[in-house]
């Protein structure tokens, strides 16, 4: 091949979910054009990756940018959120388009396009969060899947968003006929509301009581029921942000029975325990499900290692500190959600570097499995000829201490403050274009494109 390439990455060690090997990569028109021991062609830009790892960009399948919550909206908009993603080695995000009651599914996504198109710095897709599951909406599952959005989230909690078990069962039944995937936020709302009422009446209002209002069994009960429904209806199911050991036990049993049940967990459940709610800044960690005890934290790592947890995603949904402060004297007034879109890949890779898990496993759960489950593989999620050149160059020797000053989102604090990373991404390419280099954002709003997904 004599044609000049746009980008050549030389001498690096390529890591995919299944392999680690030394090779060069050549990129043309946003796609990986060649992979070989020595790509002997000219390149407009040549990067020497000797001593570095070359990985597919992460795909964060769970973010909430510009999410309206009560009187406010989550702190990162599509520009700052995707900018932070790029700076953390995430080259595609899947956001939640929340259906306004009465609105159609594809209509809901079109509404979000208006916000995201001019702002996205990396590629994107959506899941639709269905809040009003009418017969008309069930009839739209197929249309949405044909449009390129084959995944829907149903909330068992949150006023105005929650749906009941009957609706979830209907959605599961229709999902298997149409090939879409139902994702569930699994917590028992009746347990939570009664516990909150009791705690507040006893004057128990600090952040710790957020955990007490949503202890392990609140999640476990809901996961158990959802798995049972999916099994009974012979439908696939995806449990978002799994946080508890016993919830994981349900997933293990189901997967061992051969059911198509997927579990996702998040970096904050892998790194922190409920002890954070005793801190002075405990309210900054308020999210749902609440962060659980050490027993759960350890079990989630084990679940990843053994392949029972299929994906890691961030549930990135931060609020500014003045908004978190609304709950200083009453934990129920703090908007729920934490940040993570810039931290997921560096954190997971750092844990791999320390021996907690393999680098291949990190690529599997943060990128390849996501692309496979949600239907954008092999365009995304791997390093292969013909795939998008979404590539991260990672320096395993670089030390990095996270602080709000070196993050790229709009939030004025980070729950990851002072966490030390062993190794860090030094370059991110989105379809061959440099979007991050050594601490600085190098991309541009409007670069990111909608990725159609087909399961
Ligand atoms: O606390 C959280 N997780 N907020 C975001 C919405 C959700 O439940 O995923
Ligand atoms: Zn949720
Ligand atoms: Zn979420």
């Amino acid at each position: 091949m004599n044609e000049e390439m746009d980008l050549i990455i030389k001498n690096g060690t390529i890591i995919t979910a299944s392999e680690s090997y030394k090779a060069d990569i050549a990129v043309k028109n946003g796609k990986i054009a060649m992979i070989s021991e020595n790509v002997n062609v000219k390149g407009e830009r040549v990067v020497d990756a000797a001593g570095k790892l070359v990985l597919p960009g992460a795909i964060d399948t769970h973010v909430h940018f510009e999410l309206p919550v009560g009187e406010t909206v989550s702190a990162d908009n599509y520009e700052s959120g995707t900018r932070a993603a790029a700076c953390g080695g995430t080259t595609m995000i899947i956001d939640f388009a929340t259906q306004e009651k009465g609105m159609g599914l594809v209509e809901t996504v079109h509404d979000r396009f208006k916000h995201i198109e001019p702002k996205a710095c990396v590629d994107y897709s959506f899941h639709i969060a269905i809040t009003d599951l009418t017969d008309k909406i069930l009839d739209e599952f197929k249309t949405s899947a044909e449009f390129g959005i084959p995944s829907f989230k149903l909330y068992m909690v949150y006023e105005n968003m929650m749906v009941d078990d009957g609706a979830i069962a209907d959605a599961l039944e229709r999902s298997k006929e149409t090939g879409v995937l139902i994702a569930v936020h699994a917590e028992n709302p009746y347990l939570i509301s009664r516990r909150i009422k009791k705690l507040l009446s006893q004057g128990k209002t600090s952040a710790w009581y957020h955990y007490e209002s949503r202890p392990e069994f609140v999640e476990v009960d809901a996961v158990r029921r959802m798995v049972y429904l999916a099994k009974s209806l012979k439908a696939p199911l995806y449990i978002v942000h799994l946080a508890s050991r016993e919830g994981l036990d349900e997933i293990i049993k189901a997967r061992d029975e051969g059911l198509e049940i997927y579990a996702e967990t998040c970096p904050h459940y892998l790194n922190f325990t409920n002890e954070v709610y005793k801190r002075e800044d405990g309210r900054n960690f308020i999210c749902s499900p609440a962060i659980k005890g050490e027993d759960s934290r350890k079990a989630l790592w084990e679940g990843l290692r053994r392949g029972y947890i299929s994906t890691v995603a961030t549930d990135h949904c931060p609020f500014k500190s003045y908004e978190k402060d609304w709950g200083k004297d009453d934990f129920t007034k703090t908007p729920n959600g934490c940040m993570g879109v810039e931290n997921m890949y560096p954190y997971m890779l750092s844990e791999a570097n320390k021996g907690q898990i393999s680098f291949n496993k990190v690529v599997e759960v943060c990128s390849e499995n996501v692309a496979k489950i949600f239907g954008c593989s092999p365009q995304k999620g791997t390093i292969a000829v013909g795939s998008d050149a979404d590539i991260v160059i990672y320096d395993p020797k670089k030390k990095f201490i996270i602080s709000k000053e070196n993050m790229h989102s709009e939030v004025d604090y980070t729950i990851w403050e002072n966490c030390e990373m062993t190794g860090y991404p030094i370059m991110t390419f989105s379809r061959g274009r440099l979007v991050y280099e050594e601490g600085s954002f190098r991309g541009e709003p409007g670069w990111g494109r909608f990725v159609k997904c087909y399961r």
Side-chain angles (χ1 to χ4, degrees), residues 62 64 96 153 155 241 315:
H62 192 148
H64 302 275
F96 288 86
K153 178 175 179 182
Y155 289 94
H241 49 46
D315 197 5

Side-chain angles (χ1 to χ4, degrees), residues 62 64 96 153-158 161 184-187 240-241 264 269 288-289 315:
H62 192 148
H64 302 275
F96 288 86
K153 178 175 179 182
L154 299 172
Y155 289 94
M156 295 174 78
V157 292
Y158 304 137
M161 300 226 272
V184 174
H185 175 134
E187 287 188 297
V240 294
H241 49 46
E264 161 200 288
Y269 301 126
S288 295
D315 197 5

Side-chain angles (χ1 to χ4, degrees), residues 21-125:
Y21 60 100
K22 281 206 153 86
D24 300 345
I25 296 175
V27 174
K28 185 79 189 171
N29 298 330
K31 299 269 181 200
I32 297 176
M34 288 166 74
I35 302 175
S36 94
E37 262 180 37
N38 182 12
V39 291
N40 208 3
V41 284
K42 285 212 170 75
E44 197 182 312
R45 170 184 216 135
V46 179
V47 175
D48 183 4
K52 312 289 188 292
L53 306 183
V54 180
L55 311 137
I59 305 169
D60 190 343
T61 183
H62 192 148
V63 302
H64 302 275
F65 298 151
E66 302 187 24
L67 175 75
V69 176
E71 301 293 285
T72 188
V73 72
S74 60
D76 274 312
N77 62 29
Y78 287 113
E79 182 175 335
S80 63
T82 54
R83 179 177 71 214
C87 296
T90 288
T91 48
M92 177 173 166
I93 57 97
I94 312 187
D95 187 58
F96 288 86
T98 306
Q99 177 213 17
E100 261 176 46
K101 291 194 197 306
M103 214 185 226
L105 297 181
V106 177
E107 193 187 354
T108 297
V109 174
H110 276 300
D111 192 56
R112 281 267 129 175
F113 280 153
K114 286 186 239 149
H115 298 263
I116 197 167
E117 270 171 354
K119 296 189 197 159
C121 307
V122 297
D123 290 351
Y124 56 88
S125 187

Side-chain angles (χ1 to χ4, degrees), residues 7 42 57 65 82 100 185 196 228 241 259 266 279 291 315 365 424 443:
L7 168 69
K42 285 212 170 75
F65 298 151
T82 54
E100 261 176 46
H185 175 134
I196 288 180
Y228 182 70
H241 49 46
L259 304 179
C266 310
R279 286 168 42 165
I291 299 172
D315 197 5
V365 296
Y424 210 77

